[in-house]
Amino acid sequence: MKIRMQQSVKVIVEHDLSKTVLELLKNDGLNKPFIVLDKFLLGVPAVKEMLGSLEENGIEYKTYAEIVPDPPARIINDGAKEMKDFGADSVIAIGGGSSLDSAKGINIVASDGGKIEDYVKNESAIHDLKTLISIPTTAGTGSEMSNALVVTDEATEEKDAILSDKMLSDYALLIPELTISLPKRQTIASGLDAFSHAAEGYLSTLSSPVADAIAEKIMFLGYNYLPGAVKDGNNLEMRQRVMVAACLAGWILNQSGTIVAHSEAHILGSKYHFVHGEAVAYALPAVLKLVAPVEPKKVKEIGKILGAKFSGNETPEEIAETTVKAYKHFRDEMVGLHPFSDYGISNQELEKNAEEVVNERFAGNTPVKLTKENVSELLKNFG
């Protein structure tokens, strides 16, 4: 029997980082964590307090702060060597998706050997990993809940995905205070990424009734609270609601995956260095139009969540137009995403990547058969 919904990550929403991390380590009998984080976080008061608390309680730790956006394999492999040499019994990941993904990869290589590149081709080689505590500082990637990591091949500049339930976090610790200092542009990009996780999972061929209900709630939370979090970054209620939505969206990634909008973002992001959350947001309107003929009810439901009104007599094409208009209003006016033209890259240039997008790992979840022709059309309308 196929299980259509499962979730093994223990999720904790708290406000005191130091106290909660200390409790988790003590409860699990752990006393030698390897801490993977963005370098700038070493200067954040809450993180400094956490490190001081570990020292005061006799817990030996080592920090690895070499993480960069779109982490290359080298960063992960170097971190794994340091973790193994240190003899860590656990991993604490703090930061955005790059830090959380890197920590998963570091845990894999330090525990099972080899290089992270080995697991791109052989995910079955992932076995017994150390306890992983993931603490996001953004509200978008959902990496704290997902069974995936993305690593960049420096030689080809391609983003490779590794999928395995073995790499799931043991704990996802949500501290909304850690997102207070997140700049407006990152708040927008990460929030729209979470919305797209839900929308794409909702439209995926892997979707299920239970996952769909959660995806609908994630989109509702994004629509109702992301604009407020952007407008007032100090509003803890807004930050917490968006953070919970992003966490649930990470869970949906495990259940339903994503579709071609994320494929576009992965291929184009690695080549042109688009911000990932912005890229999926630029991709989604054309994707909604592509799938509306086969999923008109779901596209219409997305429109309703976004405040669109329908008479009940619309064709699939009209449903798509109405939903896309509502999404663009949400994305551009309510949230404030900057226009794609700011990147200075033409859609004609993007169309050169159509074949790679068709063959990207997650593209196969799209409920429409993808061809070079219809993906070229998507790229022509990217933005």
Side-chain angles (χ1 to χ4, degrees):
M1 182 178 293
K2 185 175 182 180
I3 305 300
R4 299 310 299 265
M5 205 71 191
Q6 54 185 328
Q7 204 288 102
S8 61
V9 183
K10 305 173 188 73
V11 183
I12 300 165
V13 182
E14 271 294 349
H15 297 281
D16 190 325
L17 176 64
S18 296
K19 180 182 177 183
T20 310
V21 167
L22 203 59
E23 287 178 356
L24 287 178
L25 293 174
K26 286 187 174 180
N27 287 344
D28 281 19
L30 304 168
N31 54 25
K32 208 171 183 185
F34 187 74
I35 304 174
V36 179
L37 73 171
D38 301 325
K39 188 168 289 185
F40 80 92
L41 286 172
L42 290 171
V44 171
V47 175
K48 291 169 72 175
E49 182 185 344
M50 182 199 79
L51 296 178
S53 176
L54 294 177
E55 290 175 10
E56 290 168 11
N57 285 272
I59 294 177
E60 185 182 358
Y61 68 85
K62 183 175 179 61
T63 59
Y64 183 70
E66 304 303 317
I67 307 306
V68 296
D70 301 321
R74 169 180 46 82
I75 295 289
I76 292 175
N77 292 329
D78 290 350
K81 183 179 185 308
E82 290 199 24
M83 177 179 163
K84 190 169 183 179
D85 290 346
F86 174 62
D89 60 8
S90 53
V91 183
I92 298 175
I94 312 175
S98 294
S99 289
L100 272 54
D101 275 13
S102 294
K104 292 176 188 174
I106 288 168
N107 196 11
I108 290 169
V109 177
S111 301
D112 292 332
K115 301 179 297 183
I116 193 62
E117 296 95 315
D118 301 333
Y119 299 92
V120 172
K121 300 173 182 176
N122 185 17
E123 294 155 345
S124 63
I126 300 171
H127 297 298
D128 299 320
L129 308 183
K130 307 294 185 186
T131 297
L132 174 61
I133 301 170
S134 293
I135 307 169
T137 58
T138 66
T141 69
S143 184
E144 69 274 12
M145 292 289 283
S146 82
N147 63 353
L149 72 84
V150 178
V151 59
T152 300
D153 185 323
E154 286 181 293
T156 64
E157 292 190 333
E158 292 180 352
K159 290 186 176 183
D160 294 318
I162 300 175
L163 301 175
S164 172
D165 287 343
K166 295 283 183 65
M167 74 170 80
L168 282 167
S169 304
D170 293 277
Y171 297 96
L173 176 53
L174 309 185
I175 308 283
E177 284 82 356
L178 292 177
T179 65
I180 291 293
S181 61
L182 197 65
K184 182 173 287 189
R185 181 173 174 179
Q186 285 182 264
T187 301
I188 291 169
S190 55
L192 291 174
D193 189 22
F195 186 94
S196 195
H197 289 159
E200 292 183 60
Y202 193 55
L203 298 169
S204 168
T205 56
L206 301 177
S207 67
S208 71
V210 181
D212 286 350
I214 295 169
E216 289 169 358
K217 185 62 175 181
I218 294 163
M219 289 186 280
F220 172 89
L221 289 170
Y223 178 72
N224 285 279
Y225 296 101
L226 180 58
V230 171
K231 183 178 180 181
D232 179 10
N234 292 311
N235 188 316
L236 267 183
E237 180 190 359
M238 298 290 177
R239 288 289 194 182
Q240 181 170 294
R241 291 280 191 143
V242 173
M243 197 172 208
V244 168
C247 181
L248 290 173
W251 181 20
I252 289 301
L253 285 175
N254 298 0
Q255 315 302 321
S256 306
T258 54
I259 58 174
V260 68
H262 259 70
S263 300
E264 292 178 66
H266 288 157
I267 298 300
L268 303 179
S270 62
K271 286 195 175 182
Y272 307 108
H273 307 292
F274 298 154
V275 174
H276 175 76
E278 295 176 358
V280 293
Y282 296 136
L284 189 57
V287 172
L288 289 169
K289 289 184 180 182
L290 175 70
V291 302
V294 296
E295 289 288 0
K297 290 182 179 179
K298 285 191 172 183
V299 173
K300 185 175 183 179
E301 196 63 38
I302 293 172
K304 288 180 179 178
I305 292 168
L306 292 167
K309 303 297 182 185
F310 297 91
S311 68
N313 299 314
E314 292 88 356
T315 65
E317 291 72 24
E318 290 169 336
I319 288 171
E321 288 291 341
T322 301
T323 297
V324 166
K325 184 179 178 181
Y327 176 71
K328 286 187 174 180
H329 175 72
F330 164 65
R331 182 192 75 177
D332 301 338
E333 306 301 325
M334 294 174 63
V335 177
L337 177 65
H338 69 93
F340 171 60
S341 58
D342 288 352
Y343 278 106
I345 296 172
S346 71
N347 289 80
Q348 187 177 6
E349 169 65 25
L350 301 187
E351 287 182 64
K352 297 175 183 177
N353 300 281
E355 194 166 338
E356 285 185 71
V357 172
V358 171
N359 295 311
E360 198 274 340
R361 180 166 194 166
F362 300 105
N365 299 333
T366 309
V368 173
K369 181 174 175 55
L370 297 178
T371 64
K372 189 175 179 180
E373 289 69 34
N374 61 18
V375 170
S376 292
E377 191 67 20
L378 293 180
L379 296 171
K380 187 185 295 183
N381 292 284
F382 185 93

